[in-house]
Amino acid sequence: MSEREYNRVLGVLRLTALFAVVLLLIYFARPTVLSVAIGFVFVALGETVRFWSSGLLLKTKELMTAGPYRYTRNPLYLGRFLILTGVIIMVYLPKYLSLIGLVLGWGWFLGVYRRRTERVEPARLREEHGEAYDRYF
């Protein structure tokens, strides 16, 4: 099986899993005014960070070290993390399921998603920007 075929299959599996999780969240959600208000703050912060980051980014043309990139190497991922947190807070699952959802969501984000991107992105950026990226890193 070629690398491209494997990635396509893996991509379909990831998308299917994402839809399954979203459907489960919708089914079990018991949002309250307070949970939506608190979750909204996280989602709004996450979107703000992502818009700010995306607006500055000139992908593969220039190494961005200004704006939110001055404070974190990956502000787009920080924004996603905040959005994930906000959505889980918004749905307000019964009993302690929201807390479990946060822990599982954060664990997946930091333990799987970010680890995978950290294996790929630094090497690509190092190849494109050389010593400037090493200094920034």
Side-chain angles (χ1 to χ4, degrees), residues 61-94:
K61 295 187 189 310
E62 180 182 327
L63 180 64
M64 182 51 59
T65 59
Y69 293 91
R70 177 177 295 156
Y71 306 107
T72 177
R73 275 189 306 126
N74 301 300
L76 290 167
Y77 296 123
L78 173 61
R80 279 189 184 167
F81 186 79
L82 291 169
I83 292 167
L84 167 73
T85 301
V87 167
I88 294 172
I89 291 171
M90 279 182 172
V91 297
Y92 193 73
L93 300 170

PDB file of all heavy atoms in Angstrom, residues 61-94:
ATOM      1  N   LYS A  61       6.489  31.177   2.595  1.00  0.00           N
ATOM      2  CA  LYS A  61       7.187  32.327   2.014  1.00  0.00           C
ATOM      3  C   LYS A  61       8.086  33.010   3.036  1.00  0.00           C
ATOM      4  O   LYS A  61       9.183  33.408   2.731  1.00  0.00           O
ATOM      5  CB  LYS A  61       6.182  33.321   1.451  1.00  0.00           C
ATOM      6  CG  LYS A  61       5.372  32.778   0.279  1.00  0.00           C
ATOM      7  CD  LYS A  61       4.536  33.876  -0.315  1.00  0.00           C
ATOM      8  CE  LYS A  61       3.542  33.427  -1.328  1.00  0.00           C
ATOM      9  NZ  LYS A  61       3.946  32.607  -2.368  1.00  0.00           N
ATOM     10  N   GLU A  62       7.574  33.155   4.249  1.00  0.00           N
ATOM     11  CA  GLU A  62       8.306  33.901   5.266  1.00  0.00           C
ATOM     12  C   GLU A  62       8.084  33.249   6.630  1.00  0.00           C
ATOM     13  O   GLU A  62       6.974  32.845   6.951  1.00  0.00           O
ATOM     14  CB  GLU A  62       7.749  35.336   5.275  1.00  0.00           C
ATOM     15  CG  GLU A  62       8.383  36.251   6.269  1.00  0.00           C
ATOM     16  CD  GLU A  62       7.728  37.638   6.224  1.00  0.00           C
ATOM     17  OE1 GLU A  62       7.309  38.082   5.155  1.00  0.00           O
ATOM     18  OE2 GLU A  62       7.650  38.256   7.300  1.00  0.00           O
ATOM     19  N   LEU A  63       9.135  33.170   7.414  1.00  0.00           N
ATOM     20  CA  LEU A  63       9.017  32.634   8.766  1.00  0.00           C
ATOM     21  C   LEU A  63       8.377  33.704   9.640  1.00  0.00           C
ATOM     22  O   LEU A  63       8.913  34.791   9.805  1.00  0.00           O
ATOM     23  CB  LEU A  63      10.387  32.247   9.318  1.00  0.00           C
ATOM     24  CG  LEU A  63      10.394  31.679  10.734  1.00  0.00           C
ATOM     25  CD1 LEU A  63       9.632  30.355  10.777  1.00  0.00           C
ATOM     26  CD2 LEU A  63      11.825  31.483  11.216  1.00  0.00           C
ATOM     27  N   MET A  64       7.207  33.401  10.172  1.00  0.00           N
ATOM     28  CA  MET A  64       6.478  34.383  10.964  1.00  0.00           C
ATOM     29  C   MET A  64       6.895  34.281  12.433  1.00  0.00           C
ATOM     30  O   MET A  64       6.818  33.209  13.027  1.00  0.00           O
ATOM     31  CB  MET A  64       4.973  34.139  10.827  1.00  0.00           C
ATOM     32  CG  MET A  64       4.132  35.137  11.578  1.00  0.00           C
ATOM     33  SD  MET A  64       4.525  36.883  11.278  1.00  0.00           S
ATOM     34  CE  MET A  64       4.292  37.021   9.536  1.00  0.00           C
ATOM     35  N   THR A  65       7.362  35.402  12.972  1.00  0.00           N
ATOM     36  CA  THR A  65       7.771  35.449  14.383  1.00  0.00           C
ATOM     37  C   THR A  65       7.125  36.623  15.112  1.00  0.00           C
ATOM     38  O   THR A  65       7.467  36.909  16.245  1.00  0.00           O
ATOM     39  CB  THR A  65       9.304  35.549  14.504  1.00  0.00           C
ATOM     40  OG1 THR A  65       9.745  36.735  13.839  1.00  0.00           O
ATOM     41  CG2 THR A  65       9.988  34.334  13.912  1.00  0.00           C
ATOM     42  N   ALA A  66       6.197  37.304  14.464  1.00  0.00           N
ATOM     43  CA  ALA A  66       5.526  38.462  15.074  1.00  0.00           C
ATOM     44  C   ALA A  66       4.124  38.075  15.542  1.00  0.00           C
ATOM     45  O   ALA A  66       3.667  36.961  15.320  1.00  0.00           O
ATOM     46  CB  ALA A  66       5.455  39.604  14.057  1.00  0.00           C
ATOM     47  N   GLY A  67       3.462  39.014  16.171  1.00  0.00           N
ATOM     48  CA  GLY A  67       2.092  38.786  16.620  1.00  0.00           C
ATOM     49  C   GLY A  67       2.029  37.616  17.589  1.00  0.00           C
ATOM     50  O   GLY A  67       2.871  37.486  18.472  1.00  0.00           O
ATOM     51  N   PRO A  68       1.045  36.739  17.410  1.00  0.00           N
ATOM     52  CA  PRO A  68       0.921  35.613  18.343  1.00  0.00           C
ATOM     53  C   PRO A  68       2.088  34.628  18.216  1.00  0.00           C
ATOM     54  O   PRO A  68       2.371  33.894  19.152  1.00  0.00           O
ATOM     55  CB  PRO A  68      -0.400  34.956  17.933  1.00  0.00           C
ATOM     56  CG  PRO A  68      -0.595  35.349  16.517  1.00  0.00           C
ATOM     57  CD  PRO A  68       0.002  36.725  16.395  1.00  0.00           C
ATOM     58  N   TYR A  69       2.772  34.638  17.082  1.00  0.00           N
ATOM     59  CA  TYR A  69       3.923  33.749  16.894  1.00  0.00           C
ATOM     60  C   TYR A  69       5.094  34.160  17.781  1.00  0.00           C
ATOM     61  O   TYR A  69       6.017  33.387  17.977  1.00  0.00           O
ATOM     62  CB  TYR A  69       4.358  33.742  15.421  1.00  0.00           C
ATOM     63  CG  TYR A  69       3.318  33.115  14.535  1.00  0.00           C
ATOM     64  CD1 TYR A  69       2.329  33.886  13.944  1.00  0.00           C
ATOM     65  CD2 TYR A  69       3.310  31.745  14.310  1.00  0.00           C
ATOM     66  CE1 TYR A  69       1.357  33.313  13.148  1.00  0.00           C
ATOM     67  CE2 TYR A  69       2.337  31.160  13.517  1.00  0.00           C
ATOM     68  CZ  TYR A  69       1.367  31.951  12.943  1.00  0.00           C
ATOM     69  OH  TYR A  69       0.402  31.367  12.159  1.00  0.00           O
ATOM     70  N   ARG A  70       5.048  35.367  18.308  1.00  0.00           N
ATOM     71  CA  ARG A  70       6.076  35.824  19.248  1.00  0.00           C
ATOM     72  C   ARG A  70       5.934  35.091  20.586  1.00  0.00           C
ATOM     73  O   ARG A  70       6.904  34.899  21.303  1.00  0.00           O
ATOM     74  CB  ARG A  70       5.930  37.329  19.468  1.00  0.00           C
ATOM     75  CG  ARG A  70       6.911  37.893  20.482  1.00  0.00           C
ATOM     76  CD  ARG A  70       6.784  39.376  20.607  1.00  0.00           C
ATOM     77  NE  ARG A  70       7.168  39.960  19.327  1.00  0.00           N
ATOM     78  CZ  ARG A  70       6.772  41.143  18.884  1.00  0.00           C
ATOM     79  NH1 ARG A  70       5.995  41.890  19.617  1.00  0.00           N
ATOM     80  NH2 ARG A  70       7.149  41.602  17.724  1.00  0.00           N
ATOM     81  N   TYR A  71       4.700  34.677  20.917  1.00  0.00           N
ATOM     82  CA  TYR A  71       4.435  34.066  22.214  1.00  0.00           C
ATOM     83  C   TYR A  71       4.348  32.544  22.169  1.00  0.00           C
ATOM     84  O   TYR A  71       4.552  31.892  23.184  1.00  0.00           O
ATOM     85  CB  TYR A  71       3.139  34.637  22.788  1.00  0.00           C
ATOM     86  CG  TYR A  71       3.173  36.148  22.840  1.00  0.00           C
ATOM     87  CD1 TYR A  71       2.422  36.897  21.944  1.00  0.00           C
ATOM     88  CD2 TYR A  71       3.993  36.814  23.745  1.00  0.00           C
ATOM     89  CE1 TYR A  71       2.479  38.282  21.967  1.00  0.00           C
ATOM     90  CE2 TYR A  71       4.046  38.193  23.771  1.00  0.00           C
ATOM     91  CZ  TYR A  71       3.285  38.923  22.871  1.00  0.00           C
ATOM     92  OH  TYR A  71       3.350  40.287  22.895  1.00  0.00           O
ATOM     93  N   THR A  72       4.004  32.001  21.022  1.00  0.00           N
ATOM     94  CA  THR A  72       3.897  30.552  20.867  1.00  0.00           C
ATOM     95  C   THR A  72       4.238  30.179  19.430  1.00  0.00           C
ATOM     96  O   THR A  72       3.906  30.919  18.503  1.00  0.00           O
ATOM     97  CB  THR A  72       2.497  30.039  21.241  1.00  0.00           C
ATOM     98  OG1 THR A  72       2.429  28.636  21.012  1.00  0.00           O
ATOM     99  CG2 THR A  72       1.401  30.712  20.445  1.00  0.00           C
ATOM    100  N   ARG A  73       4.907  29.045  19.271  1.00  0.00           N
ATOM    101  CA  ARG A  73       5.269  28.602  17.920  1.00  0.00           C
ATOM    102  C   ARG A  73       4.050  28.210  17.108  1.00  0.00           C
ATOM    103  O   ARG A  73       4.077  28.232  15.894  1.00  0.00           O
ATOM    104  CB  ARG A  73       6.199  27.387  17.988  1.00  0.00           C
ATOM    105  CG  ARG A  73       7.629  27.695  18.144  1.00  0.00           C
ATOM    106  CD  ARG A  73       8.503  26.466  17.979  1.00  0.00           C
ATOM    107  NE  ARG A  73       8.114  25.368  18.851  1.00  0.00           N
ATOM    108  CZ  ARG A  73       7.847  24.132  18.429  1.00  0.00           C
ATOM    109  NH1 ARG A  73       7.930  23.827  17.172  1.00  0.00           N
ATOM    110  NH2 ARG A  73       7.504  23.199  19.287  1.00  0.00           N
ATOM    111  N   ASN A  74       2.977  27.825  17.778  1.00  0.00           N
ATOM    112  CA  ASN A  74       1.817  27.279  17.086  1.00  0.00           C
ATOM    113  C   ASN A  74       0.512  27.921  17.555  1.00  0.00           C
ATOM    114  O   ASN A  74      -0.331  27.257  18.149  1.00  0.00           O
ATOM    115  CB  ASN A  74       1.747  25.764  17.314  1.00  0.00           C
ATOM    116  CG  ASN A  74       2.979  25.071  16.811  1.00  0.00           C
ATOM    117  OD1 ASN A  74       3.294  25.151  15.647  1.00  0.00           O
ATOM    118  ND2 ASN A  74       3.684  24.386  17.707  1.00  0.00           N
ATOM    119  N   PRO A  75       0.303  29.193  17.266  1.00  0.00           N
ATOM    120  CA  PRO A  75      -0.930  29.825  17.729  1.00  0.00           C
ATOM    121  C   PRO A  75      -2.187  29.253  17.076  1.00  0.00           C
ATOM    122  O   PRO A  75      -3.259  29.278  17.683  1.00  0.00           O
ATOM    123  CB  PRO A  75      -0.743  31.307  17.381  1.00  0.00           C
ATOM    124  CG  PRO A  75       0.284  31.318  16.316  1.00  0.00           C
ATOM    125  CD  PRO A  75       1.178  30.135  16.569  1.00  0.00           C
ATOM    126  N   LEU A  76      -2.073  28.729  15.862  1.00  0.00           N
ATOM    127  CA  LEU A  76      -3.249  28.114  15.241  1.00  0.00           C
ATOM    128  C   LEU A  76      -3.705  26.895  16.041  1.00  0.00           C
ATOM    129  O   LEU A  76      -4.903  26.663  16.217  1.00  0.00           O
ATOM    130  CB  LEU A  76      -2.946  27.727  13.798  1.00  0.00           C
ATOM    131  CG  LEU A  76      -2.778  28.906  12.834  1.00  0.00           C
ATOM    132  CD1 LEU A  76      -2.182  28.449  11.513  1.00  0.00           C
ATOM    133  CD2 LEU A  76      -4.093  29.615  12.613  1.00  0.00           C
ATOM    134  N   TYR A  77      -2.760  26.122  16.536  1.00  0.00           N
ATOM    135  CA  TYR A  77      -3.106  24.965  17.358  1.00  0.00           C
ATOM    136  C   TYR A  77      -3.620  25.397  18.727  1.00  0.00           C
ATOM    137  O   TYR A  77      -4.513  24.769  19.286  1.00  0.00           O
ATOM    138  CB  TYR A  77      -1.923  24.012  17.502  1.00  0.00           C
ATOM    139  CG  TYR A  77      -1.522  23.414  16.179  1.00  0.00           C
ATOM    140  CD1 TYR A  77      -0.233  23.548  15.700  1.00  0.00           C
ATOM    141  CD2 TYR A  77      -2.443  22.717  15.404  1.00  0.00           C
ATOM    142  CE1 TYR A  77       0.132  22.997  14.488  1.00  0.00           C
ATOM    143  CE2 TYR A  77      -2.087  22.170  14.193  1.00  0.00           C
ATOM    144  CZ  TYR A  77      -0.791  22.314  13.724  1.00  0.00           C
ATOM    145  OH  TYR A  77      -0.443  21.771  12.524  1.00  0.00           O
ATOM    146  N   LEU A  78      -3.064  26.462  19.262  1.00  0.00           N
ATOM    147  CA  LEU A  78      -3.576  27.002  20.520  1.00  0.00           C
ATOM    148  C   LEU A  78      -5.038  27.399  20.350  1.00  0.00           C
ATOM    149  O   LEU A  78      -5.881  27.113  21.208  1.00  0.00           O
ATOM    150  CB  LEU A  78      -2.745  28.212  20.976  1.00  0.00           C
ATOM    151  CG  LEU A  78      -3.268  28.967  22.193  1.00  0.00           C
ATOM    152  CD1 LEU A  78      -3.323  28.065  23.417  1.00  0.00           C
ATOM    153  CD2 LEU A  78      -2.415  30.194  22.446  1.00  0.00           C
ATOM    154  N   GLY A  79      -5.348  28.033  19.230  1.00  0.00           N
ATOM    155  CA  GLY A  79      -6.735  28.404  18.944  1.00  0.00           C
ATOM    156  C   GLY A  79      -7.639  27.180  18.871  1.00  0.00           C
ATOM    157  O   GLY A  79      -8.742  27.178  19.421  1.00  0.00           O
ATOM    158  N   ARG A  80      -7.184  26.131  18.200  1.00  0.00           N
ATOM    159  CA  ARG A  80      -7.968  24.897  18.126  1.00  0.00           C
ATOM    160  C   ARG A  80      -8.188  24.294  19.510  1.00  0.00           C
ATOM    161  O   ARG A  80      -9.259  23.786  19.812  1.00  0.00           O
ATOM    162  CB  ARG A  80      -7.264  23.865  17.251  1.00  0.00           C
ATOM    163  CG  ARG A  80      -7.472  24.085  15.804  1.00  0.00           C
ATOM    164  CD  ARG A  80      -6.940  22.931  15.012  1.00  0.00           C
ATOM    165  NE  ARG A  80      -7.090  23.238  13.600  1.00  0.00           N
ATOM    166  CZ  ARG A  80      -6.518  22.580  12.642  1.00  0.00           C
ATOM    167  NH1 ARG A  80      -5.749  21.553  12.919  1.00  0.00           N
ATOM    168  NH2 ARG A  80      -6.716  22.921  11.388  1.00  0.00           N
ATOM    169  N   PHE A  81      -7.151  24.336  20.330  1.00  0.00           N
ATOM    170  CA  PHE A  81      -7.244  23.811  21.690  1.00  0.00           C
ATOM    171  C   PHE A  81      -8.305  24.570  22.488  1.00  0.00           C
ATOM    172  O   PHE A  81      -9.110  23.977  23.203  1.00  0.00           O
ATOM    173  CB  PHE A  81      -5.873  23.894  22.362  1.00  0.00           C
ATOM    174  CG  PHE A  81      -5.811  23.259  23.716  1.00  0.00           C
ATOM    175  CD1 PHE A  81      -5.694  21.886  23.835  1.00  0.00           C
ATOM    176  CD2 PHE A  81      -5.852  24.028  24.861  1.00  0.00           C
ATOM    177  CE1 PHE A  81      -5.625  21.279  25.088  1.00  0.00           C
ATOM    178  CE2 PHE A  81      -5.783  23.440  26.116  1.00  0.00           C
ATOM    179  CZ  PHE A  81      -5.677  22.060  26.225  1.00  0.00           C
ATOM    180  N   LEU A  82      -8.314  25.891  22.368  1.00  0.00           N
ATOM    181  CA  LEU A  82      -9.306  26.705  23.060  1.00  0.00           C
ATOM    182  C   LEU A  82     -10.717  26.418  22.539  1.00  0.00           C
ATOM    183  O   LEU A  82     -11.676  26.349  23.318  1.00  0.00           O
ATOM    184  CB  LEU A  82      -8.972  28.197  22.914  1.00  0.00           C
ATOM    185  CG  LEU A  82      -7.730  28.666  23.666  1.00  0.00           C
ATOM    186  CD1 LEU A  82      -7.345  30.078  23.231  1.00  0.00           C
ATOM    187  CD2 LEU A  82      -7.948  28.605  25.159  1.00  0.00           C
ATOM    188  N   ILE A  83     -10.853  26.248  21.234  1.00  0.00           N
ATOM    189  CA  ILE A  83     -12.160  25.939  20.647  1.00  0.00           C
ATOM    190  C   ILE A  83     -12.652  24.577  21.136  1.00  0.00           C
ATOM    191  O   ILE A  83     -13.821  24.427  21.512  1.00  0.00           O
ATOM    192  CB  ILE A  83     -12.091  25.993  19.110  1.00  0.00           C
ATOM    193  CG1 ILE A  83     -11.859  27.434  18.655  1.00  0.00           C
ATOM    194  CG2 ILE A  83     -13.364  25.413  18.479  1.00  0.00           C
ATOM    195  CD1 ILE A  83     -11.466  27.570  17.197  1.00  0.00           C
ATOM    196  N   LEU A  84     -11.778  23.581  21.136  1.00  0.00           N
ATOM    197  CA  LEU A  84     -12.138  22.255  21.651  1.00  0.00           C
ATOM    198  C   LEU A  84     -12.632  22.363  23.090  1.00  0.00           C
ATOM    199  O   LEU A  84     -13.679  21.810  23.440  1.00  0.00           O
ATOM    200  CB  LEU A  84     -10.929  21.317  21.575  1.00  0.00           C
ATOM    201  CG  LEU A  84     -11.039  19.994  22.339  1.00  0.00           C
ATOM    202  CD1 LEU A  84     -11.998  19.060  21.622  1.00  0.00           C
ATOM    203  CD2 LEU A  84      -9.673  19.349  22.475  1.00  0.00           C
ATOM    204  N   THR A  85     -11.908  23.101  23.906  1.00  0.00           N
ATOM    205  CA  THR A  85     -12.287  23.286  25.306  1.00  0.00           C
ATOM    206  C   THR A  85     -13.660  23.950  25.409  1.00  0.00           C
ATOM    207  O   THR A  85     -14.526  23.493  26.163  1.00  0.00           O
ATOM    208  CB  THR A  85     -11.225  24.132  26.039  1.00  0.00           C
ATOM    209  OG1 THR A  85      -9.963  23.456  25.950  1.00  0.00           O
ATOM    210  CG2 THR A  85     -11.593  24.349  27.487  1.00  0.00           C
ATOM    211  N   GLY A  86     -13.862  24.992  24.632  1.00  0.00           N
ATOM    212  CA  GLY A  86     -15.136  25.704  24.673  1.00  0.00           C
ATOM    213  C   GLY A  86     -16.314  24.857  24.238  1.00  0.00           C
ATOM    214  O   GLY A  86     -17.381  24.900  24.859  1.00  0.00           O
ATOM    215  N   VAL A  87     -16.138  24.079  23.196  1.00  0.00           N
ATOM    216  CA  VAL A  87     -17.236  23.228  22.716  1.00  0.00           C
ATOM    217  C   VAL A  87     -17.606  22.187  23.761  1.00  0.00           C
ATOM    218  O   VAL A  87     -18.790  21.946  24.027  1.00  0.00           O
ATOM    219  CB  VAL A  87     -16.865  22.570  21.368  1.00  0.00           C
ATOM    220  CG1 VAL A  87     -17.831  21.464  21.003  1.00  0.00           C
ATOM    221  CG2 VAL A  87     -16.823  23.617  20.260  1.00  0.00           C
ATOM    222  N   ILE A  88     -16.619  21.575  24.387  1.00  0.00           N
ATOM    223  CA  ILE A  88     -16.914  20.570  25.408  1.00  0.00           C
ATOM    224  C   ILE A  88     -17.617  21.199  26.612  1.00  0.00           C
ATOM    225  O   ILE A  88     -18.543  20.622  27.176  1.00  0.00           O
ATOM    226  CB  ILE A  88     -15.641  19.809  25.823  1.00  0.00           C
ATOM    227  CG1 ILE A  88     -15.132  18.976  24.644  1.00  0.00           C
ATOM    228  CG2 ILE A  88     -15.905  18.904  27.021  1.00  0.00           C
ATOM    229  CD1 ILE A  88     -13.794  18.325  24.859  1.00  0.00           C
ATOM    230  N   ILE A  89     -17.210  22.407  26.968  1.00  0.00           N
ATOM    231  CA  ILE A  89     -17.894  23.108  28.062  1.00  0.00           C
ATOM    232  C   ILE A  89     -19.325  23.450  27.650  1.00  0.00           C
ATOM    233  O   ILE A  89     -20.265  23.284  28.435  1.00  0.00           O
ATOM    234  CB  ILE A  89     -17.113  24.378  28.476  1.00  0.00           C
ATOM    235  CG1 ILE A  89     -15.799  23.997  29.147  1.00  0.00           C
ATOM    236  CG2 ILE A  89     -17.962  25.252  29.402  1.00  0.00           C
ATOM    237  CD1 ILE A  89     -14.866  25.164  29.386  1.00  0.00           C
ATOM    238  N   MET A  90     -19.522  23.900  26.427  1.00  0.00           N
ATOM    239  CA  MET A  90     -20.854  24.288  25.954  1.00  0.00           C
ATOM    240  C   MET A  90     -21.856  23.142  26.003  1.00  0.00           C
ATOM    241  O   MET A  90     -23.004  23.355  26.394  1.00  0.00           O
ATOM    242  CB  MET A  90     -20.782  24.790  24.512  1.00  0.00           C
ATOM    243  CG  MET A  90     -20.354  26.193  24.349  1.00  0.00           C
ATOM    244  SD  MET A  90     -20.394  26.575  22.589  1.00  0.00           S
ATOM    245  CE  MET A  90     -20.097  28.308  22.643  1.00  0.00           C
ATOM    246  N   VAL A  91     -21.449  21.952  25.583  1.00  0.00           N
ATOM    247  CA  VAL A  91     -22.417  20.856  25.486  1.00  0.00           C
ATOM    248  C   VAL A  91     -22.901  20.389  26.852  1.00  0.00           C
ATOM    249  O   VAL A  91     -23.981  19.838  26.960  1.00  0.00           O
ATOM    250  CB  VAL A  91     -21.887  19.650  24.677  1.00  0.00           C
ATOM    251  CG1 VAL A  91     -21.608  20.051  23.245  1.00  0.00           C
ATOM    252  CG2 VAL A  91     -20.693  19.006  25.309  1.00  0.00           C
ATOM    253  N   TYR A  92     -22.126  20.596  27.867  1.00  0.00           N
ATOM    254  CA  TYR A  92     -22.476  20.268  29.254  1.00  0.00           C
ATOM    255  C   TYR A  92     -23.100  18.873  29.350  1.00  0.00           C
ATOM    256  O   TYR A  92     -24.318  18.710  29.447  1.00  0.00           O
ATOM    257  CB  TYR A  92     -23.420  21.316  29.848  1.00  0.00           C
ATOM    258  CG  TYR A  92     -23.556  21.197  31.342  1.00  0.00           C
ATOM    259  CD1 TYR A  92     -22.523  21.596  32.168  1.00  0.00           C
ATOM    260  CD2 TYR A  92     -24.695  20.674  31.917  1.00  0.00           C
ATOM    261  CE1 TYR A  92     -22.629  21.484  33.549  1.00  0.00           C
ATOM    262  CE2 TYR A  92     -24.819  20.558  33.301  1.00  0.00           C
ATOM    263  CZ  TYR A  92     -23.777  20.963  34.106  1.00  0.00           C
ATOM    264  OH  TYR A  92     -23.877  20.858  35.453  1.00  0.00           O
ATOM    265  N   LEU A  93     -22.244  17.897  29.328  1.00  0.00           N
ATOM    266  CA  LEU A  93     -22.682  16.507  29.411  1.00  0.00           C
ATOM    267  C   LEU A  93     -23.105  16.165  30.836  1.00  0.00           C
ATOM    268  O   LEU A  93     -22.617  16.760  31.792  1.00  0.00           O
ATOM    269  CB  LEU A  93     -21.545  15.591  28.963  1.00  0.00           C
ATOM    270  CG  LEU A  93     -21.067  15.830  27.528  1.00  0.00           C
ATOM    271  CD1 LEU A  93     -19.793  15.060  27.256  1.00  0.00           C
ATOM    272  CD2 LEU A  93     -22.148  15.473  26.537  1.00  0.00           C
ATOM    273  N   PRO A  94     -24.034  15.216  30.999  1.00  0.00           N
ATOM    274  CA  PRO A  94     -24.512  14.869  32.349  1.00  0.00           C
ATOM    275  C   PRO A  94     -23.418  14.267  33.225  1.00  0.00           C
ATOM    276  O   PRO A  94     -22.435  13.715  32.728  1.00  0.00           O
ATOM    277  CB  PRO A  94     -25.629  13.852  32.085  1.00  0.00           C
ATOM    278  CG  PRO A  94     -25.467  13.405  30.686  1.00  0.00           C
ATOM    279  CD  PRO A  94     -24.675  14.443  29.959  1.00  0.00           C
TER     280      PRO A  94
END
